[in-house]
Amino acid sequence: LGSARQFCKHNSLNEALVELEFGNLAKIQKNNPKAVNHYLRACSFFESAGVYSPLLKAYIDLAEFNRSIYKHNEGLGYIRKALKIIEKKQCNDTLLWLRAFNRAAAIYNELNKRDTCILYSNKVLELSEYSKNYYWQANTYNELGSLYKDLGQYDRAEEYFKKAESIWFSCGAE
């Protein structure tokens, strides 16, 4: 990525995209302060330039980053920003919409807001069926299975786990 930064020095958009990936790398390396710094620099550029697709990705990455370090309310703040971009239709990237709705469901689930989690899970299911994105469909059925297992609704949980498994197997997963 260091050479990518040099290559992009005269293109601010590409430089900001590299910052975003540096944030993801720092997250993997568990260097949280560095990750946040990179994410925020990328967001700052995307916000000021009004470049919504990478901004949506950056907000989702920040939401997931905060969720992963148990700062759910901060993560929720970023997911709400992401959802505003979707609501205003400033970005029409179906994969980013699926990811945003999925991360919203995960954060709401971890905040014990089960109804809102189910609402966003249903959005993922609807959009993934429409776009024939079996990864997000199976992933969401699996997440719903976990939610219902946690609620003690084991029959319902098993139903969702079996749906997820069936989709994964039909796609060639082992």
Side-chain angles (χ1 to χ4, degrees):
L1 286 174
S3 58
R5 178 179 270 159
Q6 280 299 110
F7 181 73
C8 298
K9 224 168 180 90
H10 301 292
N11 183 323
S12 298
L13 174 59
N14 286 340
E15 202 171 334
L17 290 168
V18 169
E19 280 296 329
L20 188 58
E21 294 312 317
F22 270 123
N24 288 327
L25 179 61
K27 175 186 161 192
I28 291 166
Q29 295 171 334
K30 301 202 182 312
N31 188 339
N32 295 346
K34 197 172 185 180
V36 168
N37 189 32
H38 287 297
Y39 285 136
L40 293 177
R41 274 193 268 168
C43 280
S44 177
F45 172 80
F46 299 140
E47 287 168 348
S48 65
V51 184
Y52 293 105
S53 186
L55 180 59
L56 177 56
K57 182 185 182 318
Y59 285 156
I60 297 166
D61 287 348
L62 271 163
E64 176 56 22
F65 171 77
N66 280 289
R67 188 198 67 77
S68 74
I69 60 170
Y70 306 103
K71 292 186 174 183
H72 295 97
N73 287 321
E74 286 183 42
L76 185 58
Y78 285 108
I79 219 55
R80 285 180 174 151
K81 287 181 175 189
L83 295 172
K84 280 204 186 304
I85 290 173
I86 292 170
E87 182 183 304
K88 293 179 180 180
K89 296 198 181 346
Q90 293 171 312
C91 171
N92 291 315
D93 185 324
T94 303
L95 290 176
L96 287 176
W97 285 33
L98 286 165
R99 188 166 168 242
F101 293 150
N102 177 269
R103 295 299 74 209
I107 290 170
Y108 281 113
N109 187 29
E110 291 173 15
L111 289 170
N112 292 318
K113 297 185 180 204
R114 308 293 193 208
D115 290 342
T116 308
C117 171
I118 292 167
L119 172 93
Y120 282 104
S121 293
N122 286 331
K123 285 180 182 259
V124 174
L125 289 174
E126 183 181 323
L127 187 55
S128 64
E129 278 185 40
Y130 175 78
S131 63
K132 302 203 182 321
N133 189 306
Y134 303 113
Y135 169 81
W136 285 111
Q137 196 174 24
N139 182 290
T140 301
Y141 281 131
N142 191 64
E143 184 139 345
L144 284 168
S146 294
L147 179 142
Y148 286 113
K149 185 183 96 186
D150 292 346
L151 292 173
Q153 296 180 25
Y154 301 111
D155 290 342
R156 199 162 189 189
E158 183 178 9
E159 174 189 332
Y160 283 112
F161 285 136
K162 284 182 177 181
K163 282 183 179 184
E165 182 181 62
S166 172
I167 293 168
W168 280 322
F169 285 149
S170 73
C171 294
E174 297 179 14

